[in-house]
Amino acid sequence: MNAVSRHRLLALTLAWLATRAGMLLLLAYNGLPLLGHGGVAREVWRLYLHWYGVLSHGAFPAHDPLWQYPPGAGPVLLTPALLPGLTYFQAFVVLTLATDALITAVLARAGTRPGHSLRGAAYWIACLPLLLHMPLVRYDVQVTAFAVISLVTLSRSTRVCGAFAALGALVKVWPALVLLGMPRGRPTRSVWTSAVVTGAASLLVLVALFNNPFAFLRQQGGRGVQIESLGGTALGLATHVGWPGQVHYRYGAMEFTGPYVSSVADASLALTAVAFGLLLVWRVRARRWTDATPFDAALSAVLLFTVTSRVISPQYMIWLLGLAAVCLTSRHTTQRAVAALIVAATAVSSVEFPVLYSDVIHSTETGCALMVVRNGLLAAAAVLSFVRLWRSTRPLPATRHTRVQSPGPYGESQPLASAHSGA
């Protein structure tokens, strides 16, 4: 490692320490009105702590409508027991910071490889604090770590890549989407075999250790349209033209109830199915892979599924920031503009929650405007991400200068220009 790289890594370390100290300071003043009157941190010391008590007795909270997570979430919520000298809340925050530091180190390590960049680590360090102190009191940082490690280990070990994706999927499902862009042929077979074996073995262990491991499925099926989703934004606007719906706290989120809500929920599910179909068509038709293609495909897939979901909680931005950071570690990524849109959407998210969440709940003009902007940015990011992914993997047009085929970085054939092209 040369002197310039060492100086850059030192700068990143100092930036991480400064920004995380600022996040901890905000957490210390969590009770201020602009920081949510303590509501942001309440999820850990009340809800997570309650679940910890149930999980520590070998069962999932089967009859709790707020429990909507796959069985892998149980061990994550039990990890504060590793620090017995601290309260549950303190231990959770410490472990979340440690996981955040791990993500930063992994991104920095990936950025120092030949042909890669430290922009990904810098992006993660600088952008996560846009969500204020909220990332410290949600376990989405831990989930994002599984996805980040899965992607950055692909070039070194397909088995490790698949294993981490499977473990992440057992915690919160969406990390399974990072496997969508795996290169064809042997890498895909190796990654998916590892994912299936790891996932099945881990699930068997969880089933053996805990009662009611699949109780979360019942709660997920009953969810409606959350106020911060794309459908929720449409319903919020509809209240200004006479729609009589109301907002209620259900399944751990503020959701709309009233006429046509079920239709909006069905439309969201239909859009998710369409998104999945588009991703499958891309997968079948893709012909060119670079080292960045798996990263770009992961970000595009999670963006599409997030935008079409019935729920878009602010902590979902943590996932997108982590995947965008992985994309930026590669100099071949097509997602730089998408990463910028995600930053803008993240900044708006921190305003709508917790700062002006009351406006969003009551669908005021300010609240509706915030959601239109935030979700508009996310929708634009999703469309742009998929379009750029599609174009980047299309076959190159045949020309008279094109001669032989050379294997790409993952075994895919890529045209080489002849000497007459000046390449």
Side-chain angles (χ1 to χ4, degrees):
M1 184 183 299
N2 58 37
V4 173
S5 295
R6 285 196 296 270
H7 289 153
R8 288 176 178 172
L9 289 175
L10 177 60
L12 289 175
T13 302
L14 294 175
W16 186 89
L17 290 171
T19 53
R20 274 44 183 184
M23 293 170 71
L24 284 171
L25 184 64
L26 291 174
L27 183 59
Y29 289 94
N30 173 68
L32 293 175
L34 287 179
L35 296 179
H37 296 280
V40 177
R42 189 180 299 127
E43 188 148 332
V44 174
W45 60 259
R46 179 178 292 180
L47 188 58
Y48 289 6
L49 180 59
H50 167 67
W51 288 339
Y52 172 85
V54 178
L55 291 164
S56 61
H57 287 88
F60 289 97
H63 303 293
D64 187 344
L66 302 183
W67 178 258
Q68 302 151 19
Y69 308 107
V76 174
L77 295 176
L78 287 171
T79 54
L82 298 173
L83 302 175
L86 302 176
T87 66
Y88 183 87
F89 183 87
Q90 292 168 340
F92 185 90
V93 173
V94 169
L95 290 172
T96 303
L97 275 173
T99 307
D100 173 20
L102 175 63
I103 293 173
T104 305
V106 168
L107 291 169
R109 174 78 180 206
T112 57
R113 298 174 189 168
H116 288 71
S117 171
L118 288 172
R119 290 191 186 96
Y123 180 92
W124 173 258
I125 291 170
C127 296
L128 190 66
L130 291 175
L131 292 169
L132 307 178
H133 55 300
M134 189 264 290
L136 300 180
V137 285
R138 296 292 186 276
Y139 80 94
D140 295 87
V141 171
Q142 287 87 328
V143 181
T144 302
F146 284 107
V148 169
I149 294 172
S150 172
L151 288 170
V152 300
T153 56
L154 171 62
S155 62
R156 295 179 180 268
S157 174
T158 52
R159 292 179 179 177
V160 173
C161 170
F164 272 95
L167 292 174
L170 282 175
V171 177
K172 215 167 188 180
V173 181
W174 70 264
L177 293 172
V178 306
L179 300 180
L180 186 71
M182 295 297 113
R184 285 203 184 97
R186 184 176 179 181
T188 290
R189 290 193 295 271
S190 178
V191 168
W192 277 97
T193 299
S194 175
V196 170
V197 171
T198 302
S202 300
L203 185 58
L204 286 174
V205 171
L206 291 169
V207 169
L209 293 177
F210 295 92
N211 295 324
N212 309 312
F214 303 110
F216 75 100
L217 295 173
R218 185 186 315 119
Q219 322 305 351
Q220 279 288 352
R223 299 197 75 164
V225 178
Q226 188 230 18
I227 60 174
E228 294 163 281
S229 67
L230 207 62
T233 301
L235 292 173
L237 292 171
T239 62
H240 291 271
V241 292
W243 180 65
Q246 296 180 326
V247 173
H248 294 283
Y249 184 74
R250 300 172 67 246
Y251 296 96
M254 304 303 294
E255 296 185 350
F256 278 109
T257 59
Y260 310 114
V261 170
S262 60
S263 298
V264 173
D266 290 343
S268 295
L269 291 173
L271 286 173
T272 299
V274 170
F276 185 67
L278 287 173
L279 290 166
L280 288 180
V281 172
W282 165 79
R283 174 76 192 183
V284 170
R285 301 193 63 175
R287 290 294 180 270
R288 291 188 297 134
W289 258 263
T290 69
D291 66 331
T293 302
F295 306 163
D296 296 352
L299 177 59
S300 185
V302 176
L303 261 172
L304 285 169
F305 275 79
T306 298
V307 167
T308 59
S309 173
R310 293 173 294 172
V311 180
I312 308 180
S313 298
Q315 58 264 33
Y316 290 13
M317 303 307 301
I318 299 172
W319 317 345
L320 301 176
L321 290 174
L323 294 176
V326 174
C327 291
L328 294 178
T329 62
S330 173
R331 298 184 187 277
H332 299 110
T333 185
T334 62
Q335 304 292 304
R336 292 187 184 91
V338 176
L341 288 173
I342 291 172
V343 172
T346 301
V348 178
S349 290
S350 65
V351 176
E352 62 94 356
F353 180 85
V355 179
L356 296 177
Y357 196 51
S358 178
D359 287 275
V360 177
I361 291 174
H362 295 98
S363 298
T364 67
E365 291 183 0
T366 300
C368 287
L370 282 170
M371 296 320 307
V372 167
V373 173
R374 200 282 298 268
N375 289 338
L377 287 167
L378 283 179
V383 172
L384 180 62
S385 177
F386 183 74
V387 169
R388 291 199 165 193
L389 175 68
W390 182 282
R391 290 176 176 173
S392 70
T393 56
R394 288 186 306 181
L396 289 173
T399 68
R400 65 186 181 88
H401 297 300
T402 301
R403 51 184 180 88
V404 297
Q405 297 287 316
S406 164
Y410 296 107
E412 290 294 311
S413 61
Q414 295 183 339
L416 283 179
S418 72
H420 299 292
S421 68

